[in-house]
């Protein structure tokens, strides 16, 4: 598995759940689990998880957190982790565009947090191999703190300036 295949699997889960309203990721999570279960080589599940971990790490930055904070009406570190997972569930275009310019999240609609994504490949791996070792592997975490400059959650002018489109949709004074 490579990153292209990773995004293909995510896109397939989006298509399989396309009848949903977009505010409930349950059908997409079920579809993704079914797709992961169809992967024959359990080592590919480990690679899927490694790619997910890398994407989560790349998205651990203050600019995206500020956008998420505005969209969600505030969020802590765990909630930002689930937000980033939900962003990945929206697909490659939403993910990459949002990393380049977080205000572009306005184009992709609400991001539904998705804690389940963080453990899905691990669950499938364990079900298939009866081995929970995937949970114990050493992951190479690059960002122990969000990259970039932090924001003051009470600075309304910052949010208006940095995220004008998101401010129009989600801002409150």
């Amino acid at each position: 598995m490579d990153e292209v295949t990773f995004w293909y699997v995510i896109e397939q889960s989006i298509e399989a759940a396309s009848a949903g309203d977009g505010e409930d990721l349950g059908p997409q999570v079920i579809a993704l689990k079914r797709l992961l279960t169809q992967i024959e080589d359990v080592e590919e599940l480990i690679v899927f998880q490694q790619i997910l971990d890398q994407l989560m790490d790349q998205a651990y930055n203050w600019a995206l957190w500020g956008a998420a904070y505005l969209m969600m009406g505030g969020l802590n570190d765990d909630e930002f982790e689930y937000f980033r997972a939900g962003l990945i569930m929206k697909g490659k275009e939403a993910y990459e565009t949002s990393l380049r310019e977080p205000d572009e999240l306005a184009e992709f609609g609400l991001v539904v947090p998705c804690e389940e994504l963080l453990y899905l490949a691990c669950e499938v791996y364990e079900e298939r191999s009866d081995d929970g070792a995937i949970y114990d592997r050493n992951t190479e975490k690059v960002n122990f703190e969000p990259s970039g400059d932090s924001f003051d959650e009470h600075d309304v002018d910052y949010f208006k300036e940095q995220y004008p489109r998101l401010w129009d949709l989600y801002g409150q004074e």
Side-chain angles (χ1 to χ4, degrees):
M1 175 164 306
D2 58 12
E3 194 170 322
V4 171
T5 306
F6 174 93
W7 285 118
Y8 177 78
V9 171
I10 295 293
E11 288 299 327
Q12 291 297 304
S13 73
I14 293 169
E15 288 178 21
S18 64
D21 61 9
E23 293 187 20
D24 177 13
L25 289 179
Q28 186 182 355
V29 170
I30 292 167
L32 181 56
K33 185 170 185 177
R34 186 174 55 249
L35 291 164
L36 292 174
T37 302
Q38 293 171 0
I39 295 173
E40 292 182 20
D41 183 357
V42 292
E43 294 301 313
E44 294 293 301
L45 295 170
I46 294 171
V47 175
F48 182 94
Q49 186 65 46
Q50 290 171 335
I51 292 170
L52 173 62
D53 292 344
Q54 290 168 355
L55 294 171
M56 291 289 293
D57 198 50
Q58 288 172 2
Y60 194 44
N61 66 68
W62 284 112
L64 184 61
W65 195 335
Y69 188 92
L70 180 57
M71 291 178 76
M72 307 304 287
L75 67 166
N76 63 32
D77 193 46
D78 287 342
E79 292 165 332
F80 183 49
E81 182 175 30
Y82 308 151
F83 176 91
R84 289 178 285 144
L87 179 59
I88 290 168
M89 291 291 276
K90 287 187 95 49
K92 182 179 182 180
E93 181 183 2
Y95 174 84
E96 290 181 349
T97 300
S98 299
L99 289 189
R100 279 192 312 275
E101 180 51 59
D103 196 40
E104 292 295 316
L105 277 165
E107 288 297 313
F108 298 101
L110 184 65
V111 174
V112 179
C114 188
E115 179 181 6
E116 297 90 344
L117 174 61
L118 301 174
Y119 314 105
L120 205 55
C122 297
E123 289 173 9
V124 172
Y125 177 90
E126 186 173 350
E127 289 168 6
R128 174 102 43 83
S129 67
D130 287 330
D131 177 9
I134 192 173
Y135 294 107
D136 300 329
R137 73 194 193 296
N138 291 325
T139 59
E140 185 177 328
K141 187 166 178 70
V142 176
N143 293 326
F144 291 99
E145 294 290 326
S147 61
D149 297 325
S150 65
F151 59 90
D152 175 357
E153 63 191 53
H154 302 292
D155 187 350
V156 172
D157 292 332
Y158 168 82
F159 288 105
K160 286 180 180 179
E161 182 181 309
Q162 293 296 109
Y163 314 104
R165 297 174 67 202
L166 288 172
W167 181 263
D168 287 344
L169 294 171
Y170 303 101
Q172 306 169 17
E173 291 207 49

